[in-house]
Amino acid sequence: MKIIGVDLGGTYVKIGLVDTKSGKILKKSSIETKVHLGGETVVKRIADAILELSNGDFHAVGIGSPGSIDKDNGIVRFSPNFPDWHNFELGPELLKLLNKKVYIENDANSFVLGEKWFGAGKGKKHIVALTLGTGVGGGVISHNKLITGNNGIGTELGHVIINPNGPLCGCGNYGCLEAYASATAIVRMAQERKKKYPDSLIFKDNEITAKSIFDLAKQNDRLANMIKDEVVEALAIGITSFIHIFNPEVIIIGGGVSRAGDILFNPLKKRVDELVMPSFKNTYEIIQSPLVENAGILGAASIVLQRES
Amino acid sequence: MKIIGVDLGGTYVKIGLVDTKSGKILKKSSIETKVHLGGETVVKRIADAILELSNGDFHAVGIGSPGSIDKDNGIVRFSPNFPDWHNFELGPELLKLLNKKVYIENDANSFVLGEKWFGAGKGKKHIVALTLGTGVGGGVISHNKLITGNNGIGTELGHVIINPNGPLCGCGNYGCLEAYASATAIVRMAQERKKKYPDSLIFKDNEITAKSIFDLAKQNDRLANMIKDEVVEALAIGITSFIHIFNPEVIIIGGGVSRAGDILFNPLKKRVDELVMPSFKNTYEIIQSPLVENAGILGAASIVLQRES
């Protein structure tokens, strides 16, 4: 079966034609979102790009969108990336143009579905997924079903408070997981300590990024290592709680920060193993997302598979 | 329909004949557990008590048991209250004696089921339940299903870490919710501060209990108020995270500590309202369990209703 996966971002829309049997992206394209043109025009541009890519030869469309989604009606309630979209009927509008079924899901939920159908969660019924990017997103599959909560806004794993004396989070609370483990937080941790560690190699580069900090931790830069240790500890505390809550088979971590690889994952696995209660030992694996830059499109396509399963 | 609910405790077994339509307990009895007599004898004693209470006129038996339960096979894997029961076939043994269906569930899960079928969770599909007793237990209904996780050991909400710099928990970690909000933790908080606050009325009584401390907080005892504030803050942090994770319609709090009533619930509701993210405001209620001393039997009976629904 061929499915269109749409990874709807604030700047770019990535579109892929996915063969669900092989999990391969047969064709893909990327267009600028151009939010300022308004919802209807954006939808028209997406529809055109889908038709150009596929010649209409596909079963249905899955869209992973940031923000709060009314999945039953295909409506984007609101999204930080699309400030003008309030209760925008993204699904119905696209259906009109394509005459194909359209399914929409929050992008963090789309990520965990992508892992379940095409990634490290294949064949698993209990999956906790974290995306460490600008923010920290969460998606959970429990007993084979996506957990979304009563208003479809649940599994905000980035806003679980892991230390009430911790740094201020964008949400207004102190010590959310996101305030420690997002790319934004990691860069902030470096900037805050520039005065105390002016000689750190972190500040030799023009641009400070989570990637540059983890790269320098590998080279034993003192400040970079301190920051890495804090990120590991925060993630370990959060993940331990998620294990105690969901008793998952696997915790899958994606997003830009996850690409740090072993320097992040090795100490993280060790620390979580120390923290989980005895009855939870060896009940889970912690895995770096294997989908990398295809996570968005494959996740979006898998929304269709999950809803129709 | 008539169902037998069995609340299996370390000291007493409470048994009730429940009319599922009215939610009333028609008859109940209590026998000593006498664990030392061994599993088979305990089961025989329970079967005798059930037959005495019901004359065999009931549809099935639900048992709420502490510990780790293999619900599919009716087996108690292990339980702190029954140290000799390793993989004890409680369900199959009772089935042999009664020739009726027997369903078993962990007691914290049984509690949330009781609330769903007979208590503050009636008609709700998304419920988080906490029992504040010797420990802190958790049960979650999400999308109308009990969340148990891959090995049936999930929703250990008492072992979510809410402050890594907090007090040592019985599980070995620091700052679990249980280390702040269990009756045990509350009494410990008082004892630790006896030297600093020797004049607190808490120490005038012979026995320090969570109840006596909350009663003294009502009378403006300074230490009692400090402890109350800490319990409220810890619960508020934990519950805020549970709201962000599960987006529930209701959070139901039971167990001995919950009977403190308004002095606990009023500041708790206010604090959670301050802490939840804007999109979660007014999506939930926090309610004191209305089932009180019948929670165990009604919870056990509702295991049958949930499994057969």
Side-chain angles (χ1 to χ4, degrees):
Chain A
M1 189 165 62
K2 289 177 195 167
I3 288 177
I4 292 287
V6 178
D7 178 10
L8 181 56
T11 314
Y12 291 99
V13 185
K14 293 178 196 158
I15 299 168
L17 181 67
V18 177
D19 175 53
T20 57
K21 204 171 176 188
S22 66
K24 290 252 165 26
I25 298 176
L26 304 172
K27 283 182 182 179
K28 62 179 163 178
S29 67
S30 177
I31 58 170
E32 283 184 77
T33 313
K34 299 198 173 170
V35 183
H36 61 278
L37 298 177
E40 275 186 41
T41 307
V42 172
V43 169
K44 179 75 173 59
R45 286 166 50 78
I46 293 174
D48 289 345
I50 290 173
L51 291 173
E52 200 186 313
L53 198 74
S54 65
N55 282 319
D57 179 20
F58 61 93
H59 167 66
V61 181
I63 307 180
S65 166
S68 172
I69 309 297
D70 172 354
K71 59 205 276 182
D72 293 332
N73 300 300
I75 292 171
V76 180
R77 286 206 202 97
F78 58 88
S79 172
N81 297 27
F82 312 111
D84 294 339
W85 293 15
H86 288 288
N87 297 313
F88 179 61
E89 299 201 331
L90 175 58
E93 292 291 329
L94 200 56
L95 169 69
K96 271 188 226 162
L97 298 174
L98 295 172
N99 203 24
K100 301 270 186 180
K101 276 178 281 183
V102 179
Y103 302 91
I104 307 183
E105 193 60 76
N106 165 288
D107 52 1
N109 289 338
S110 162
F111 174 74
V112 71
L113 291 174
E115 292 295 339
K116 174 175 153 55
W117 287 93
F118 301 118
K122 258 189 192 169
K124 311 283 191 199
K125 294 181 174 178
H126 299 268
I127 308 165
V128 170
L130 288 171
T131 52
L132 312 180
T134 313
V136 170
V140 177
I141 305 270
S142 181
H143 302 278
N144 226 15
K145 302 273 183 199
L146 191 63
I147 302 250
T148 58
N150 186 46
N151 310 88
I153 55 176
T155 63
E156 280 283 6
L157 304 186
H159 297 285
V160 164
I161 297 168
I162 61 155
N163 186 346
N165 305 314
L168 183 64
C169 180
C171 77
N173 282 335
Y174 289 89
C176 292
L177 182 57
E178 178 164 306
Y180 289 95
S182 62
T184 320
I186 293 167
V187 170
R188 189 207 65 235
M189 285 183 204
Q191 282 163 340
E192 283 172 354
R193 291 166 210 184
K194 190 172 180 177
K195 271 197 183 156
K196 200 166 173 191
Y197 301 91
D199 298 332
S200 165
L201 294 172
I202 291 173
F203 308 111
K204 297 284 184 260
D205 281 346
N206 287 328
E207 202 193 5
I208 302 171
T209 63
K211 187 180 182 320
S212 70
I213 294 169
F214 278 103
D215 284 346
L216 288 169
K218 285 181 209 162
Q219 295 168 42
N220 268 320
D221 180 84
R222 190 172 159 209
L223 177 58
N225 256 309
M226 279 176 49
I227 293 171
K228 180 207 75 186
D229 289 347
E230 276 185 56
V231 175
V232 166
E233 183 68 14
L235 277 170
I237 289 167
I239 289 170
T240 297
S241 291
F242 303 148
I243 290 171
H244 291 165
I245 293 172
F246 290 110
N247 180 209
E249 296 163 273
V250 63
I251 298 97
I252 304 168
I253 305 177
V257 175
S258 73
R259 297 186 199 167
D262 287 352
I263 194 161
L264 173 65
F265 281 83
N266 288 346
L268 179 60
K269 287 175 188 173
K270 185 166 173 284
R271 187 67 181 125
V272 173
D273 184 56
E274 286 166 7
L275 287 172
V276 292
M277 292 198 294
S279 49
F280 289 82
K281 294 250 189 241
N282 305 314
T283 60
Y284 65 88
E285 285 182 281
I286 296 174
I287 299 179
Q288 183 180 353
S289 165
L291 301 181
V292 203
E293 74 269 23
N294 292 328
I297 287 171
L298 290 175
S302 59
I303 299 166
V304 179
L305 295 174
Q306 181 77 9
R307 295 275 184 92
E308 297 190 347
S309 72
Chain B
M1 189 164 65
K2 289 177 194 167
I3 288 177
I4 293 285
V6 178
D7 177 9
L8 182 56
T11 314
Y12 290 99
V13 185
K14 292 176 197 158
I15 299 167
L17 182 66
V18 177
D19 175 53
T20 56
K21 205 171 175 189
S22 66
K24 290 251 163 27
I25 298 176
L26 304 172
K27 282 182 182 180
K28 61 179 165 179
S29 67
S30 175
I31 60 171
E32 283 184 77
T33 313
K34 297 195 174 173
V35 183
H36 62 277
L37 297 177
E40 274 186 43
T41 307
V42 172
V43 170
K44 178 76 172 63
R45 286 165 49 78
I46 293 173
D48 288 346
I50 289 173
L51 291 173
E52 201 185 313
L53 198 73
S54 65
N55 282 317
D57 178 19
F58 61 93
H59 167 66
V61 180
I63 307 179
S65 167
S68 171
I69 310 297
D70 173 352
K71 59 204 281 179
D72 292 333
N73 300 301
I75 291 170
V76 179
R77 285 204 201 98
F78 58 87
S79 174
N81 297 28
F82 311 113
D84 293 339
W85 293 16
H86 287 288
N87 296 317
F88 179 60
E89 299 201 332
L90 175 57
E93 291 290 329
L94 199 56
L95 169 70
K96 269 189 225 160
L97 298 174
L98 296 173
N99 202 25
K100 301 269 185 180
K101 276 177 280 186
V102 179
Y103 301 92
I104 307 182
E105 194 60 77
N106 163 289
D107 51 1
N109 289 338
S110 162
F111 173 72
V112 71
L113 290 174
E115 292 294 338
K116 173 175 152 59
W117 287 92
F118 301 118
K122 257 191 193 168
K124 311 281 191 202
K125 293 181 174 178
H126 300 268
I127 308 166
V128 170
L130 288 171
T131 52
L132 312 181
T134 313
V136 170
V140 177
I141 307 272
S142 181
H143 302 278
N144 226 17
K145 303 273 184 199
L146 193 64
I147 302 251
T148 57
N150 187 46
N151 310 88
I153 55 176
T155 64
E156 280 282 8
L157 303 187
H159 297 285
V160 164
I161 297 168
I162 61 155
N163 185 345
N165 305 313
L168 184 63
C169 180
C171 77
N173 282 334
Y174 289 89
C176 292
L177 182 56
E178 179 164 306
Y180 289 95
S182 63
T184 320
I186 293 167
V187 170
R188 189 208 64 235
M189 286 184 205
Q191 283 163 340
E192 282 171 356
R193 291 165 211 187
K194 189 172 181 177
K195 270 197 185 157
K196 201 164 172 194
Y197 301 90
D199 298 332
S200 165
L201 294 171
I202 291 174
F203 308 111
K204 297 283 183 260
D205 282 347
N206 286 328
E207 200 192 3
I208 303 171
T209 63
K211 186 180 181 321
S212 70
I213 294 168
F214 278 102
D215 284 345
L216 288 169
K218 285 180 209 165
Q219 296 168 44
N220 269 318
D221 180 86
R222 191 173 157 207
L223 177 58
N225 257 308
M226 279 176 49
I227 293 171
K228 180 208 74 184
D229 289 346
E230 276 186 57
V231 174
V232 166
E233 184 67 16
L235 278 170
I237 289 166
I239 288 171
T240 297
S241 291
F242 302 149
I243 290 172
H244 291 165
I245 293 172
F246 290 111
N247 179 208
E249 297 163 271
V250 62
I251 298 98
I252 303 168
I253 305 178
V257 175
S258 73
R259 298 189 199 167
D262 287 351
I263 194 160
L264 173 65
F265 280 84
N266 288 346
L268 179 60
K269 287 175 190 174
K270 186 166 171 288
R271 187 67 180 126
V272 173
D273 184 55
E274 286 166 8
L275 287 172
V276 292
M277 294 198 291
S279 50
F280 289 84
K281 295 253 188 237
N282 305 313
T283 61
Y284 65 89
E285 286 181 281
I286 296 176
I287 299 179
Q288 181 180 353
S289 166
L291 302 180
V292 201
E293 74 269 21
N294 291 328
I297 287 172
L298 290 175
S302 59
I303 299 167
V304 179
L305 295 174
Q306 182 78 10
R307 296 277 181 91
E308 296 190 348
S309 71

